[in-house]
Structure formats: structure tokens, C-alpha cells
Amino acid sequence: MNKLESYACGKWQAGEGGEVMLNALTGEPVAQVSSRGVNFAAMLAHARKVGGPALRKLTFHERAMKLKALASYLSEHKDRYYAISAKTGASKVDSMIDIDGGFGTLFSYASKGRRELPNARFIVDGSPEVMGKTGSFVGQHVMTPLQGAVLHINAFNFPVWGMLEKLSQNLLAGVPAIVKPASQTAYLTEAVFRDMIASGIFPEGALQLICGSVGDAFEHLTGQDLVTFTGSASTGQKLKSHPVIIRNSVRFTMEADSLNCSILGPDAVPGTPEFDLYVKEVVREMTTKCGQKCTAIRRAFVPRTQLDAVAEALKARLAKVVVGDPSVDGVTMGALASLAQRDEVRKAVATLRTVAELVAGDPDTVAVTGGDAAKGAFLGPILLRCQDPHGAAVVHEVEAFGPVSTLMPYDDVDDVIALAAKGEGSLVGSLFTYDNAFARELVLGAASHHGRLLIVNRDCAKESTGHGSPMPVLVHGGPGRAGGGEEMGGVRGVMHYLQRTALQGSPATLAAITGQWLPGSPRQEGVHPFRKNLDELQLGDTVKAGPRKVTLEEIEHFAAFTGDTFYAHMDEVAAAANPFFGGRVAHGYYILSMSAGLFVQPDPGPVLANYGLDNLRFVTPAKPGDELSVTLTCKGKNPRITEHYGEVRWDTVVTNQDGKVVATYDVLTMVEKAPAAA
Ligand code: NAP
């Protein structure tokens, strides 16, 4: 039997004694788990003193590259993880969701990190705020990594994804982690974690593991540390109210159970694609991972008139589910993670049956194909039906964390919104309808109670990622009962590990600190900045050009060759009647083009391309006779680590002969690095 070890302070360490975890299919011992003897205070100190500083030396892009390398490295060992995953009762599809889903999340963050975060060690958040009359005192928000560690406490149902979906964000942010998997399935997490350490991709101290209980770790948490918890609401609430969490304002993210619902729209009658899609999805959610998913459909709301039809359709589909050892041909659903878990589900079903009748399945017996029916944690899918969901509080409160769902009727949109809200906060809800007006009304009434809402119809069903799949680019988490936490959602998830600080000072000081030129900080003119490569270019490097006179001939010429003959440029009488112009004005795009003609240095050089404009505003109309000048200033540089170039952002201001601002925008270019640096 495998004695699991914790990875603490750079060493693998077995705990004393420990609980034995059993194979979910056969009941045979798989692993012994204990963290007794592990020094949790030392682990936290190691993360803060060794892991944190090493991670913070890297930029977001460097950390993102490491995530990608880690995902590729782990992918090579996938088959071994699948073999271990089978012992948790998982089918091949279940394992894919957990294992490949975890790697996919790493890849997604590796890509988002490089596309949406700067190649820097902190984030400049938003635009500067001018605080004084002359502009000599400004404010700017920045976001820097917390200098503590995050303790990730995970649930048993996703031993791989549960770990990686969280690590992807703290590692990208530059914060070290201590992972504590649920004991029941920690043997799979430990196997993957061993490879993560063996890969040497992340620096020592960035990753540690506790197999077993967290001991006195909570006693040693500081205000720079974080805890993320995924598991039952009862454990979560206990941990969230730990005195140290409260005293030190430790950031605590909780992802708890929730009574997620799926709603059949009134238009989705039998014979419509949405009816069939609904039935398929409810069954899929009941049986994938044996229903051991925090996002699974626990409450199925259907129009009262469709209750019988849906019950029959679900029953027919559920009858095709074959329970047993997923390695045996034809088996479509494996076992629950443990016998204890099966007992919990049976208990919950018994409570639900006080208000709901059994439609399909038998909580006490199930035909099993392969595996050891007497020792494995097998349970067939169980469909219940509750006629009076308003009068039956338990159907909205009790989570049977297994292949269990309860069918309930609703009368109209307000009724189903009220029923959905009885869950008191869910991770996800779904709606199957081809009626967009119904969908809008439902979303406006129910979104506040959900972290994610999926609307499925015949147009999107093929590409839909499904009710139960949290996506790395979308937020995962929900209000109230679901824990009130938020994870992932692309780079939003990274922000949880950063401290936002409002800086105040002079523009020059803040520019020096942030590496971003701010209005009011010094500009320097000299060699045309388009002649400088990325390494030579300095913040504040400026070119001023102009003036150039706007003429009616040029406006008409521009209109003729672009085809933009909008009346404000071409018809004096109509333009005079316009409340903004009072006569013919130059095209906005004429102003942009003319300004580019003024500031450009045309010869081949380090500037490779213009890839867009940001924050464009036309402030004052340009009229025939006006004389326009432009000031272009290097505002920010973002060298790419994998390319021979980087992005340069240029602050651009077009003014007229009176010094009035005509247009402001940021020009975005790609600029080559110095030959040696490239
Ligand atoms: P659990 O019993 O609450 O355990 C969750 C985690 O907390 C495990 O790692 C467990 O470790 C640990 N834990 C338990 N007591 C602790 C304590 N006193 N101090 C520190 N850690 C403690 O939940 P579970 O049964 O494993 O998971 C099933 C539940 O998780 C379901 O209700 C499900 O809905 C929910 N869930 C939610 C999400 C989500 O994203 N919202 C995802 C998956 C699951 P041990 O295993 O060592 O006891």
C-alpha cells in the first residue's frame, strides 16, 4: 500500500500512522494518509521566505511560460494518472474532465497571462487620476503580489483539476501555494504533484503539499496569506470563522456546495430540440463523475404541464445507464469515491424522500457490471419528483452529492425565478429554451443568485460546454450558499492574489515607479523615437510635429477617395444645423491620418507595425483653416519574452492653433528589440 507523503520545505515527508483510503471499485486499500509530524509553521515560512521571492523575481510572462511548460510536462505522464484515477471510481470521461481539464486550465492561463497581462512584475491598474489644478499631483493604482502563501484546501471529487485550476492563478500572480487535497483521493493528487516537483519548472518553495490534515497551519496565517476552500458548506463556514482568519483579515475564498438548477423553458415541449437537449443534459449531469460535481443539476424545474413527459423521458434515458467498473465494456457510470460517500448520499436521499417520490433508481440496490458489488461504492442514478417545491424546503437545502436529481413543476417565469432563488445562491443554473424573451426575463430575475448561467438552444447546443463545466476564461463561484467566492474568469482570478495600492505623488515620481509615462511627467525630444529600438527607447521620448492646415479641398479629397461623404463634411447647410459642428468639419479619420503623416518617420527601422489605437476621443471639431499639431510620447513598453519585439504605447495629442485638444489617443506599435537582445 502506498504511504502518501507531504512535500514540506523542500523534502518529502511521510506522516505518522494514518487513515487508509480504499479503492472505490474493489474496496482494496490504496493509500495511507497522514500529515502527523509535519511542521506547518515551517512550511508557511518556507513559502514566504523561499518560494515567494523566487516567484516575484519573474514577470507575468515568465510565470505564464512556466505554466505552459508544466502543462506540457504533465501531459506526457497522463496515462499513469488515468490508471490511478480509475481507483477513485472514475470512468474514462470522468478522468478526462479531471486530468485533461486541469491541464487545459494551465494552458489557458499560460496563454491569457501572456496576452492580457504585462511582461512585468506588477500591474498598473487603470488610468492616472489628476488630483490638483496644475497636474503636478496625480494618483495611480498598482497591483502587486501578496508576500505570503496561499493554502488551497480541495474537495475529493477533482483531485487534479481542483489543484491545478487554483494553482494556475496564484502561480501566475507570483504567490506560492501549499496544496491540501481531500484525503479520500489524495493519492492521485500526490502522484501528479510528485511530477510537478520532479519537473523543476517552478522554483523551490513555490509549491508544497500536505497529505493529511492541515494541523495547526491556520494558527500561523498572516494578513499576507490566503486560504481557498472547496468543499462542503459546513466545513467551509467553520474554517472561514477561524479566529486567525478574522483577526488577520486573511483573504478567504470559499467554493461550497450548491443546489444548482436547470430549467426547461415553456416553449420547449416534447418534439422540440430544446426538450431533447434538456433531458440529455439532466442525465449527463446526474451520471458524470457519478453526480459528484459541485455544479451538477440537483433541481430540475419544468413547466407543470410537462412534468409527466419529462419524467418519462428521463426515466427512459436513465434506464440505459450501466453501473460498474468503467474498464468493462458497456459500463457508463463508475462508483462513488468511497463507501462513506455512498452512505452520505443514501442519507440525503432518505431526507429528500420525505417530500419527494422516487421516479427512477433504487438507493439500496443496483445491478453492477464488473467491480466488487459488495465492496465497491456503487449507486445507480436516482430521480425524484416533488409536486410542491414551495412547500418542501429540503429539496432546496439538501445536497445529495451523487447521481441524484429532483424534478419539480413551475407555473410561470416569476414562479421559477422564486424557486431558483430558494437555493440561496448557486454556482450555476441552466435554461433550455428557444424563446429569447423568456431567457431575458429569467436572467434578469435569476442572475443575482448565480455565478454562471447557461442558456442552451438548438443554435449553440453543439458547441455548448455544458451545464457542469467551469471554464478557465469564465468565473467559477457563486453567491450565498455556494460560498460567495470567485475563481478563474481569466485574469480576474489572478487579481485575488494581488494587493491594489493607490499611489499618490508627482507625475515624474509615479512614472519612475510604474514604468508608465503619465501626463505631466518629463518629455525629451531629440532623435526621432521611431529610429530607436525597444531597448534604446525611453519613457517620455517625444516627437512634436506640425502645424498643418486643414483645407476644404483636403476634406473633399478625403471624402471622395474614402467614400465617406457624410453630410457634416460635405453639406454646409446641413452641417451648420448640426448641434455640434455649426458648419463643415474634417473627418475624424482625416485627423488621425493627418496626424500620422505628421509624426511618422517613414524609413525602414525598428518600428515594425501599428496594431491599433486605444482610448480614441475626438474632443474639438477641426474646421477648414484650423492648424493642427501633434505630440507623440512613448508611454509604455512591453517586451515579449518569446519574440524579437515588444509593444510600445504612444500617448498622442492633436491640438489646434489655439492649443485646444482636438483628439487624444494611444497609438499601439510593435518595435524591434536591440539586435543583441533580440
Ligand atoms: P469537505 O468534507 O468539506 O472537505 C473539503 C476539504 O476540507 C477536504 O480537503 C478536507 O480534508 C478538508 N477539511 C475538512 N475538515 C477540515 C478542517 N477542520 N480543517 C481543515 N480542512 C478540513 O468536503 P468533501 O466531502 O471533500 O467535498 C464534497 C463537497 O465539496 C460537496 O458538498 C461539493 O458540493 C463541494 N464542492 C464544491 C466545489 C466548488 O467549486 N464549489 C467543487 C467541488 C466540490 P480531508 O479530506 O482530509 O478531511
Side-chain angles (χ1 to χ4, degrees):
M1 186 179 38
N2 185 8
K3 177 129 189 149
L4 301 189
E5 293 182 317
S6 296
Y7 185 72
C9 306
K11 287 197 192 84
W12 286 98
Q13 183 183 344
E16 297 147 19
E19 214 182 323
V20 174
M21 300 301 149
L22 306 180
N23 182 316
L25 300 173
T26 62
E28 287 160 9
V30 179
Q32 196 175 11
V33 190
S34 165
S35 62
R36 224 167 297 137
V38 171
N39 185 335
F40 303 100
M43 285 180 83
L44 282 162
H46 185 67
R48 292 184 202 115
K49 284 191 196 135
V50 180
L55 280 173
R56 292 197 299 275
K57 269 193 202 140
L58 306 171
T59 66
F60 289 108
H61 287 204
E62 286 165 337
R63 295 190 290 254
M65 292 299 289
K66 285 187 180 293
L67 288 181
K68 189 175 176 186
L70 185 65
S72 305
Y73 182 90
L74 295 178
S75 299
E76 288 169 21
H77 303 272
K78 205 158 76 173
D79 291 346
R80 192 154 45 81
Y81 308 147
Y82 269 67
I84 301 172
S85 175
K87 298 179 187 176
T88 69
S91 69
K92 201 154 183 205
V93 172
D94 297 340
S95 299
M96 192 182 77
I97 295 170
D98 185 34
I99 296 166
D100 295 75
F103 301 164
T105 306
L106 289 178
F107 277 124
S108 175
Y109 272 94
S111 153
K112 282 247 161 207
R114 278 175 301 144
R115 276 187 287 121
E116 296 177 23
L117 293 174
N119 188 14
R121 291 183 290 157
F122 65 99
I123 292 173
V124 177
D125 176 34
S127 303
E129 296 286 343
V130 178
M131 318 279 287
K133 274 192 186 138
T134 66
S136 72
F137 183 62
V138 294
Q140 173 70 64
H141 292 96
V142 295
M143 299 187 80
T144 54
L146 287 173
Q147 297 192 7
V150 57
L151 177 59
H152 290 313
I153 300 177
N154 293 335
F156 70 83
N157 55 340
F158 285 105
V160 183
W161 177 82
M163 166 171 66
L164 298 181
E165 67 98 1
K166 291 180 175 182
L167 286 180
S168 54
Q169 291 139 78
N170 68 268
L171 289 174
L172 189 52
V175 174
I178 299 173
V179 177
K180 185 262 178 283
S183 296
Q184 180 57 46
T185 52
Y187 50 88
L188 176 52
T189 312
E190 194 232 35
V192 177
F193 197 92
R194 275 190 187 276
D195 288 343
M196 286 163 52
I197 296 302
S199 77
I201 291 168
F202 276 94
E204 174 49 41
L207 294 162
Q208 296 181 83
L209 179 74
I210 298 173
C211 285
S213 102
V214 297
D216 67 352
F218 272 57
E219 300 298 330
H220 305 286
L221 295 171
T222 71
Q224 286 293 305
D225 299 319
L226 311 93
V227 174
T228 74
F229 171 81
T230 299
S232 60
S234 56
T235 310
Q237 278 152 17
K238 195 163 85 185
L239 297 180
K240 197 176 183 176
S241 54
H242 190 285
V244 173
I245 298 285
I246 294 166
R247 190 171 64 235
N248 294 343
S249 304
V250 178
R251 289 190 194 180
F252 193 101
T253 303
M254 178 163 153
E255 300 291 345
D257 51 31
S258 75
L259 274 292
N260 312 293
C261 68
S262 187
I263 299 163
L264 182 71
D267 58 306
V269 296
T272 61
E274 287 71 26
F275 182 92
D276 296 340
L277 289 164
Y278 182 79
V279 170
K280 205 168 149 188
E281 191 70 353
V282 171
V283 171
R284 186 157 74 132
E285 285 300 311
M286 287 175 72
T287 53
T288 306
K289 290 213 61 116
C290 272
Q292 299 169 112
K293 283 199 309 180
C294 54
T295 48
I297 299 169
R298 304 288 172 211
R299 300 179 298 155
F301 296 123
V302 304
R304 191 174 296 279
T305 48
Q306 302 305 335
L307 198 59
D308 289 338
V310 176
E312 284 313 308
L314 286 173
K315 207 171 155 181
R317 211 175 168 97
L318 286 170
K320 294 182 192 154
V321 175
V322 181
V323 177
D325 178 347
S327 67
V328 175
D329 264 359
V331 170
T332 55
M333 191 171 99
L336 294 174
S338 66
L339 291 172
Q341 193 54 35
R342 189 179 65 181
D343 289 346
E344 285 293 314
V345 176
R346 282 178 172 161
K347 235 192 276 168
V349 169
T351 308
L352 290 171
R353 285 182 74 180
T354 59
V355 294
E357 58 179 323
L358 196 62
V359 176
D362 180 345
D364 301 318
T365 52
V366 59
V368 172
T369 307
D372 187 332
K375 293 186 183 156
F378 298 103
L379 182 70
I382 295 162
L383 181 68
L384 302 166
R385 171 174 165 151
C386 172
Q387 288 296 136
D388 177 20
H390 284 287
V394 289
V395 285
H396 309 289
E397 283 168 13
V398 173
E399 182 202 38
F401 200 59
V404 183
S405 202
T406 307
L407 194 57
M408 291 174 261
Y410 73 84
D411 292 317
D412 56 27
V413 68
D414 290 334
D415 190 35
V416 76
I417 288 170
L419 287 171
K422 280 180 178 283
E424 294 187 348
S426 297
L427 293 168
V428 54
S430 58
L431 170 63
F432 289 70
T433 181
Y434 205 44
D435 178 347
N436 289 340
F438 181 80
R440 179 181 150 82
E441 232 179 304
L442 185 111
V443 167
L444 294 183
S448 60
H449 285 67
H450 293 83
R452 180 163 61 86
L453 282 176
L454 164 77
I455 300 119
V456 181
N457 65 24
R458 63 199 75 174
D459 297 338
C460 69
K462 238 186 181 156
E463 293 194 337
S464 162
T465 47
H467 172 103
S469 306
M471 304 307 293
V473 296
L474 300 179
V475 158
H476 173 58
R481 163 97 192 227
E486 202 180 279
E487 291 175 342
M488 301 199 292
V491 297
R492 289 175 188 86
V494 178
M495 306 306 166
H496 298 311
Y497 296 93
L498 306 176
Q499 174 62 42
R500 181 179 287 113
T501 305
L503 300 181
Q504 293 175 285
S506 78
T509 303
L510 296 200
I513 293 169
T514 61
Q516 302 279 313
W517 182 88
L518 291 90
S521 54
R523 291 183 158 106
Q524 55 280 345
E525 292 179 73
V527 176
H528 193 291
F530 277 23
R531 302 312 308 158
K532 295 184 178 180
N533 63 42
L534 197 60
D535 301 271
E536 293 164 337
L537 205 53
Q538 300 294 313
L539 295 183
D541 279 355
T542 296
V543 57
K544 292 186 177 172
R548 172 172 166 155
K549 200 177 211 163
V550 179
T551 66
L552 210 48
E553 291 71 37
E554 283 203 351
I555 293 174
E556 288 182 350
H557 175 62
F558 192 86
F561 87 83
T562 61
D564 179 354
T565 53
F566 188 62
Y567 74 88
H569 318 305
M570 303 303 288
D571 182 335
E572 187 58 41
V573 177
N578 178 296
F580 300 110
F581 303 135
R584 290 172 77 175
V585 294
H587 303 68
Y589 303 114
Y590 165 100
I591 296 167
L592 296 182
S593 306
M594 198 165 81
S595 137
L598 288 174
F599 67 62
V600 79
Q601 205 293 332
D603 302 332
V607 178
L608 303 175
N610 169 357
Y611 71 95
L613 302 175
D614 266 357
N615 311 321
L616 172 62
R617 289 291 177 278
F618 296 116
V619 184
T620 310
K623 299 190 171 180
D626 281 353
E627 299 203 348
L628 304 186
S629 299
V630 62
T631 303
L632 183 87
T633 305
C634 175
K635 188 176 189 176
K637 304 195 290 180
N638 190 37
R640 292 200 185 181
I641 47 172
T642 49
E643 309 289 350
H644 60 98
Y645 57 82
E647 290 91 0
V648 177
R649 182 178 283 269
W650 306 85
D651 181 84
T652 314
V653 185
V654 180
T655 49
N656 65 17
Q657 63 287 349
D658 302 324
K660 277 195 177 163
V661 175
V662 172
T664 59
Y665 49 101
D666 288 352
V667 172
L668 309 172
T669 60
M670 303 284 194
V671 177
E672 230 165 5
K673 293 177 183 170

